[in-house]
């Protein structure tokens, strides 16, 4: 459900030498972390995502710059703007996601609950809608 996907504020140790934030799996985010990946050098106007995952939990952080994440559970869509490295968006399984509006030099880090598995992806929107509606029944 889209209501399960929310912005989580991370701990921030403010320091004149530079701030520090941290993320512990199962504590600050509701899953254990098996994988991290990041998007960088994203050209202006470019879009990422456009798929859903059957079982994967993810946590998305704008480590630098800003971008938007649009989530869609098959019924409702919600746009989240990420622009601080001490906030992240928790994305539960079965959410179609589109990432857009990247600022220049932005870095999008994603923490994931599982290793990379192409079989967990749903890359066809019609297929996603059919599966999402079946799960709700
Ligand atoms: P994809 O998840 O489709 O990118 P995005 O959702 O960010 O637009 O991944 C793009 C390519 O990278 C695809 O060929 C699979 C590969 N990939 C890996 O090999 N390992 C990974 O952990 C991820 C996230 C992607």
């Amino acid at each position: 459900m889209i209501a399960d996907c929310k912005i989580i504020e991370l701990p921030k140790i403010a320091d004149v030498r530079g701030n520090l934030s941290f993320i512990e799996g199962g504590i600050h985010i509701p899953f254990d972390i098996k994988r991290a990946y990041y998007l960088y050098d994203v050209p202006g106007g470019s879009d990422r995502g456009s798929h859903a995952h059957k079982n994967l939990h993810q946590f998305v952080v704008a480590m630098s710059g800003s971008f938007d994440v649009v989530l869609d559970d098959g019924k409702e869509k919600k746009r989240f703007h990420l622009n601080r490295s001490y906030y992240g968006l928790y994305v539960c399984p079965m959410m179609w996601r589109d990432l857009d509006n990247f600022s220049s030099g932005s870095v999008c880090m994603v923490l994931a609950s599982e290793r990379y598995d192409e079989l967990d992806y749903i890359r066809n929107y019609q297929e996603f809608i059919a599966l999402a509606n079946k799960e709700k029944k």
Side-chain angles (χ1 to χ4, degrees):
M1 247 171 58
I2 212 157
D4 298 328
C5 300
K6 50 179 188 273
I7 298 282
I8 295 174
E9 184 170 358
L10 298 167
K12 178 177 171 187
I13 312 293
D15 193 309
V16 286
R17 299 169 302 161
N19 300 331
L20 182 152
S21 286
F22 52 92
I23 307 168
E24 293 187 15
I27 294 179
H28 305 105
I29 56 175
F31 58 87
D32 286 330
I33 302 159
K34 273 210 185 142
R35 175 169 56 113
Y37 65 92
Y38 32 95
L39 301 170
Y40 52 97
D41 293 346
V42 180
S46 150
D47 296 343
R48 301 287 315 214
S50 280
H51 56 73
H53 288 278
K54 293 172 195 158
N55 295 309
L56 193 69
H57 297 255
Q58 291 180 305
F59 186 67
V60 185
V61 184
M63 299 303 283
S64 182
S66 64
F67 52 85
D68 291 358
V69 183
V70 182
L71 297 182
D72 174 353
D73 66 0
K75 271 219 161 90
E76 205 185 324
K77 278 189 192 187
K78 220 166 156 182
R79 179 175 285 271
F80 296 88
H81 182 62
L82 293 176
N83 64 351
R84 293 280 182 271
S85 38
Y86 54 91
Y87 282 114
L89 175 65
Y90 166 63
V91 182
C92 66
M94 285 305 288
M95 281 294 143
W96 190 268
R97 86 285 317 274
D98 288 298
L99 282 78
D100 61 19
N101 207 15
F102 285 92
S103 69
S104 73
S106 56
V107 178
C108 166
M109 182 188 68
V110 183
L111 303 179
S113 63
E114 301 297 335
R115 291 178 193 280
Y116 173 72
D117 176 9
E118 186 58 37
L119 294 176
D120 186 63
Y121 279 73
I122 308 167
R123 294 194 182 270
N124 178 291
Y125 188 68
Q126 297 315 320
E127 195 185 313
F128 166 70
I129 292 295
L131 212 59
N133 290 333
K134 198 162 85 184
E135 282 196 0
K136 270 178 210 128
K137 278 180 192 156

